[in-house]
Amino acid sequence: DAKTTQPPSMDCAEGRAANLPCNHSTISGNEYVYWYRQIHSQGPQYIIHGLKNNETNEMASLIITEDRKSSTLILPHATLRDTAVYYCIVETGGYQKVTFGTGTKLQVIP
Amino acid sequence: DGGITQSPKYLFRKEGQNVTLSCEQNLNHDAMYWYRQDPGQGLRLIYYSQIVNDFQKGDIAEGYSVSREKKESFPLTVTSAQKNPTAFYLCASSTMTGRREKLFFGSGTQLSVL
């Protein structure tokens, strides 16, 4: 599996956009970028995924660079309920194990 | 509502005791996973199963065992061989329609040693 690198922590003011970066310089052509988040003491929740095009859903936007070596998850208007650990993972989505790193702890500040 | 149910939410283990964590899903998903999470750490894969009666070891399988006798159930046994079992355990599932889709997680079981 490709390895991802994320900053351990970030702060964001409530109401502002939260931009969470992820480096995945060894990503393969058939690997997708997935984002999940985990609120304290709960199971992780899927947010969004993409291959090479930018994606948007009701929760967030995903921007993937043209060379696919990095991506950014954007929460357009962060709220206190967005305080969580955000995980970026890359995988093919096939019959294989799925591994998580340590993620980015996002703190939304009032 | 469809989802994944983990039980119990809290579990205590005595020295030398085996304990079993339950994971049930009614999403009709083929694949199921068990992860371990230590405080302040990410998720580490213990075991995963892509189909009934088949499962593979993850990165930290030693001291754990699983079974997959039914599609909807994937129990995890923490054996006495696991010397440091205190952790938060998460079960997940996903569908496999052509390619694996997103993971759905349960709410977790916190296991502590008495």
Side-chain angles (χ1 to χ4, degrees):
Chain A
D1 289 351
K3 187 175 180 179
T4 62
T5 303
Q6 299 178 253
S9 63
M10 293 181 62
D11 291 337
C12 178
E14 187 178 18
R16 305 297 292 268
N19 297 285
L20 292 89
C22 180
N23 287 318
H24 31 80
S25 58
T26 59
I27 191 170
S28 301
N30 61 346
E31 288 183 311
Y32 288 74
V33 180
Y34 282 80
W35 284 84
Y36 291 80
R37 74 178 183 185
Q38 184 178 24
I39 296 171
H40 184 63
S41 297
Q42 297 182 22
Q45 174 192 26
Y46 165 84
I47 301 173
I48 199 167
H49 76 280
L51 184 62
K52 50 185 171 182
N53 297 322
N54 297 337
E55 302 288 345
T56 296
N57 63 21
E58 64 279 3
M59 292 182 68
S61 295
L62 174 61
I63 308 297
I64 302 173
T65 58
E66 192 168 344
D67 62 9
R68 302 209 324 122
K69 292 185 178 182
S70 66
S71 60
T72 301
L73 178 75
I74 301 172
L75 308 178
H77 305 286
T79 70
L80 298 179
R81 288 182 294 180
D82 292 322
T83 292
V85 177
Y86 287 77
Y87 297 98
C88 166
I89 63 173
V90 293
E91 48 137 338
T92 62
Y95 287 85
Q96 63 181 40
K97 62 183 184 181
V98 183
T99 56
F100 285 70
T102 53
T104 296
K105 184 173 183 178
L106 176 68
Q107 182 71 49
V108 179
I109 304 168
Chain B
D1 288 339
I4 300 178
T5 302
Q6 289 188 241
S7 62
K9 189 168 180 63
Y10 299 97
L11 186 59
F12 297 91
R13 194 192 89 166
K14 296 179 180 178
E15 291 288 339
Q17 185 182 43
N18 293 354
V19 292
T20 297
L21 285 62
S22 170
C23 178
E24 303 277 333
Q25 54 98 358
N26 60 4
L27 299 166
N28 199 33
H29 284 173
D30 293 302
M32 297 188 74
Y33 305 77
W34 272 106
Y35 290 90
R36 168 179 171 142
Q37 186 173 37
D38 293 283
Q41 303 297 313
L43 283 66
R44 291 186 291 169
L45 184 65
I46 305 173
Y47 270 97
Y48 63 109
S49 169
Q50 298 151 354
I51 197 170
V52 174
N53 292 323
D54 187 43
F55 48 83
Q56 286 77 42
K57 293 182 179 180
D59 299 317
I60 54 165
E62 185 174 352
Y64 300 96
S65 66
V66 293
S67 63
R68 187 85 187 276
E69 298 176 359
K70 298 186 296 182
K71 186 176 184 178
E72 60 270 23
S73 179
F74 191 41
L76 173 73
T77 296
V78 183
T79 74
S80 57
Q82 173 49 247
K83 299 305 180 186
N84 185 23
T86 296
F88 188 53
Y89 291 85
L90 286 158
C91 179
S93 72
S94 71
T95 189
M96 304 285 302
T97 52
R99 57 177 292 276
R100 192 182 47 69
E101 301 297 333
K102 60 189 178 183
L103 292 169
F104 290 79
F105 282 85
S107 56
T109 293
Q110 176 64 50
L111 175 63
S112 302
V113 176
L114 290 175

